[in-house]
Structures are given as C-alpha cells and as structure tokens.
C-alpha cells in the first residue's frame, strides 16, 4: 500500500512541466523576497514541480550586475547552455519572465528552440522596448553608471556594447537610428531583417501570456508589456500591437498565433510594476502551468 501511494505521488509530481524563471533588472535568481519566494510558491501550488531560476553568472552578485552590464546576446547564449545541460528540462519546460526577463525569455524561445519552451508567461516584460528610465532598482553606484551611459547616447557602439537597458531602448522619434543600432530588441522583433527561424521558433511555443501593470511607474510606455508602443514620431501617443507593422506584417507570427483561441493571452493588473496579488497567481498564472 505504501509503495502504491509513493508511486501515485511520484506520478503527480512528474505530470507538471518544469518551470524556468528569469528575473528582472536589479534582482537575482535567488532573492528570498522575489524569485526565491516565487519558486517556493510554484513548488507548493504544483506539488514540488522542478523550478530552475536562472543565474546569469557564477554567483548572485554577478547575476545582479550582469542584468545591467552583460550583453543580452551573451546572456541568451549563457541561459541556452544552462537549459540544454539540465537533465530535468530535456522534454521541454514552461517559462516565466519578470520585467526584462520577459523579453529575454521570449528571445530565448526564438534562438534556443531545443529543449522546447512550451508556454511563456511574461510578467511586465517590455517587448517593444522602453523609452524612458523613470526608476532604477539597483544600487546607487549601478544606477549612476546606467544613467551616465544612457546620457552618452543609447545607440552609440560604446553604450550598446556595455549597457543592457540600451539594447532594448526604443526611440520612437528616431526609428531609423533605433533599427540601425539596436543590438537586441530590434533584432529579435525582426525589424532589421526578417529572420524566419526566429519567427518559426516563436510560433512553436504553445501559449504566450502577456501581463501588463496598469499603474506601472517603472516601464515607459507600459503598453510595451502588451507589445504596444508609441506611434512612430511621437513620445506620447500610444499604438496597440494590433495597429503596428509588427502585427500587420506578422514579422513574429503573433497574428497567426492569435487565430487559434488561447494561444495569445493579454492580462492586466491594476497595480505598479511586478506587484502581483496572491489571488492573481492562483486564478490566472498557476492554472496555466498545470499541464
């Protein structure tokens, strides 16, 4: 009888797809008040599901600093290698990204299709980039350096090669310069050249959920969390994803994905950046991971 119960418990744990987390700017993989807490919550609600909270670097300190100063493309390669080597993820995984971790995981699905990402939940990710840096969650020294580099010019080679946030800086008043010099967000949004592999790989993700914070004071514009952005030539008038060339030309396959009910979901929370109520986790996020 005990053996039967044990087998049932093992089967219950095994039925949940592993989860990969990627933290936001100024945070780390293992902060007990953020990613550590999310990991415990997932393991509680999903009966001990395997959770990998990505550490980009050799330790927590490097992980935090790399969120500001390590080339995003190098971070993606690092994360891809970690996931490929993890035996618990070889049959696929669900992914949940927080703030900039949201667009990083989306790009990971595009450039690292094996093992497969089954579902992506982006919580406050800036998928069309940002045009503004109203609040910096890092240390005083780091934030000072970030502002110093942005002041030098986000699209200079010097800054693009050194500052993560510059790589998803999107200037709506100078779209041509943005497309010419962005090393990350313009590339993975297929705005420079149409990379069919990036499009095809993203479309292999079974479901994508975008969570926007309606009172967000961190992200400008907050509509970027739903793949919207400022209209070209304006830094005040916002354009929804469905009105953008990215959608109309279907450069990422999102329009085609939307034709199947449930593959694209847009949720919102009436709160500031990453302030997710407990009830929202239980009603909206956890059910999406119960597969």
């Amino acid at each position: 009888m005990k053996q039967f119960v044990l087998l049932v418990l093992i089967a219950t744990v095994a039925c949940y797809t592993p989860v990969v987390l990627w933290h936001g700017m100024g945070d780390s993989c293992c902060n007990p008040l953020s990613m550590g807490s999310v990991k415990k919550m997932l393991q509680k609600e999903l009966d001990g599901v395997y959770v990998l909270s990505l550490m980009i670097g050799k330790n927590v300190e490097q992980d935090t600093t790399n969120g500001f100063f390590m080339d995003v493309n190098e971070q993606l390669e690092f994360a891809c290698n970690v996931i490929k080597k993890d035996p618990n993820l070889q049959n696929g995984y669900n992914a949940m990204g927080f703030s900039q971790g949201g667009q990083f995981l989306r790009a990971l699905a595009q450039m690292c299709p094996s093992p497969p990402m089954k579902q992506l939940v982006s919580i406050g990710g800036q998928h069309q980039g940002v045009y503004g840096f109203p609040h910096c969650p890092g240390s005083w020294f780091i934030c000072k350096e970030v502002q110093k580099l942005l002041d030098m010019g986000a699209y200079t080679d010097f800054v693009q090669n050194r500052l993560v946030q510059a790589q998803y800086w999107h200037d709506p008043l100078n779209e041509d310069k943005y497309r010419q010099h962005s090393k990350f967000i313009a590339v993975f949004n297929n705005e420079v050249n149409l990379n069919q592999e990036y499009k095809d790989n993203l479309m292999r993700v079974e479901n994508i959920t975008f969570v926007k914070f309606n009172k967000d004071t961190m992200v400008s514009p907050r509509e970027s969390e739903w793949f919207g952005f400022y209209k070209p030539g304006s830094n005040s008038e916002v354009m929804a994803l469905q009105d953008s060339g990215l959608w109309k030309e279907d450069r990422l396959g999102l329009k085609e994905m939307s034709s199947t009910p449930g593959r694209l979901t847009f949720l919102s929370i009436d709160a500031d950046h990453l302030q997710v109520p407990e009830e929202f986790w239980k009603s909206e996020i956890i059910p999406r991971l119960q597969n």
Side-chain angles (χ1 to χ4, degrees):
M1 182 64 180
K2 290 183 178 179
Q3 290 179 332
F4 174 75
V5 172
L6 179 60
L7 288 173
V8 171
L9 288 173
I10 291 173
T12 301
V13 172
C15 75
Y16 292 118
T17 301
V19 180
V20 173
L21 306 176
W22 199 327
H23 63 81
M25 173 179 66
D27 202 356
S28 73
C29 63
C30 314
N31 185 333
L33 299 179
S34 56
M35 293 300 96
S37 177
V38 171
K39 181 176 180 178
K40 287 183 179 179
M41 180 269 295
L42 292 175
Q43 290 176 326
K44 177 183 177 182
E45 297 293 333
L46 299 174
D47 293 324
V49 66
Y50 178 76
V51 179
L52 169 66
S53 187
L54 287 167
M55 177 190 289
I56 308 300
K58 296 180 179 179
N59 52 52
V60 170
E61 183 178 0
Q62 282 189 7
D63 186 30
T64 303
T65 304
N66 286 339
F68 290 98
F69 302 119
M70 182 179 183
D71 187 304
V72 179
N73 297 284
E74 294 179 11
Q75 293 192 52
L76 292 171
E77 290 289 348
F78 186 97
C80 183
N81 288 331
V82 169
I83 290 172
K84 283 180 177 291
K85 292 176 181 178
D86 192 323
N88 295 292
L89 304 177
Q90 297 314 297
N91 292 324
Y93 62 96
N94 292 329
M96 188 185 307
F98 297 80
S99 197
Q100 68 181 23
Q103 63 260 35
F104 293 174
L105 280 173
R106 189 256 298 180
L108 189 71
Q110 293 176 261
M111 57 79 67
C112 183
S114 181
M117 182 186 296
K118 296 185 176 183
Q119 297 193 68
L120 170 61
V121 179
S122 170
I123 301 179
Q126 306 100 47
H127 294 274
Q128 282 266 38
V130 299
Y131 187 58
F133 197 57
H135 299 294
C136 176
S139 68
W140 177 85
F141 175 77
I142 286 178
C143 292
K144 182 180 179 182
E145 287 301 305
V146 168
Q147 193 60 57
K148 177 181 177 182
L149 288 169
L150 286 175
D151 288 344
M152 291 174 62
Y155 296 129
T156 64
D157 289 340
F158 181 85
V159 176
Q160 280 287 311
N161 291 330
R162 287 165 175 79
L163 182 62
V164 167
Q165 288 68 39
Q167 292 181 354
Y168 58 84
W169 187 266
H170 184 169
D171 187 346
L173 305 179
N174 201 331
E175 292 281 346
D176 288 340
K177 194 172 184 179
Y178 155 69
R179 292 189 181 94
Q180 290 171 7
H181 298 285
S182 172
K183 289 188 62 177
F184 167 63
I185 201 70
V187 175
F188 281 91
N189 281 354
N190 271 343
E191 296 183 87
V192 180
N193 296 298
L194 178 59
N195 185 321
Q196 190 63 42
E197 186 175 348
Y198 283 175
K199 178 178 178 178
D200 292 343
N201 288 343
L202 186 61
M203 291 181 66
R204 291 190 180 101
V205 180
E206 296 171 10
N207 302 288
I208 304 178
T209 300
F210 300 98
V211 180
K212 175 169 70 76
F213 294 88
N214 294 331
K215 299 178 181 178
D216 204 316
T217 59
M218 177 75 71
V219 176
S220 181
R222 62 178 66 99
E223 287 77 11
S224 185
E225 298 169 354
W226 273 7
F227 246 116
F229 205 67
Y230 294 119
K231 285 188 175 181
S234 172
N235 61 359
S236 59
E237 191 174 359
V238 174
M239 175 174 59
L241 165 64
Q242 291 77 5
D243 295 321
S244 69
L246 188 149
W247 179 270
K248 293 178 180 178
E249 298 168 14
D250 211 14
R251 292 197 294 262
L252 293 177
L254 296 174
K255 184 177 181 180
E256 183 175 340
M257 290 178 71
S258 73
S259 65
T260 302
R263 291 201 68 191
L264 288 186
T265 302
F266 298 87
L267 303 175
S268 63
I269 301 174
D270 286 323
D272 204 347
H273 195 60
L274 300 187
Q275 301 303 303
V276 183
E278 181 178 355
E279 179 55 34
F280 189 89
W281 284 113
K282 293 183 177 181
S283 64
E284 298 290 351
I285 303 301
I286 296 300
R288 299 174 192 282
L289 305 176
Q290 291 175 328
N291 63 325

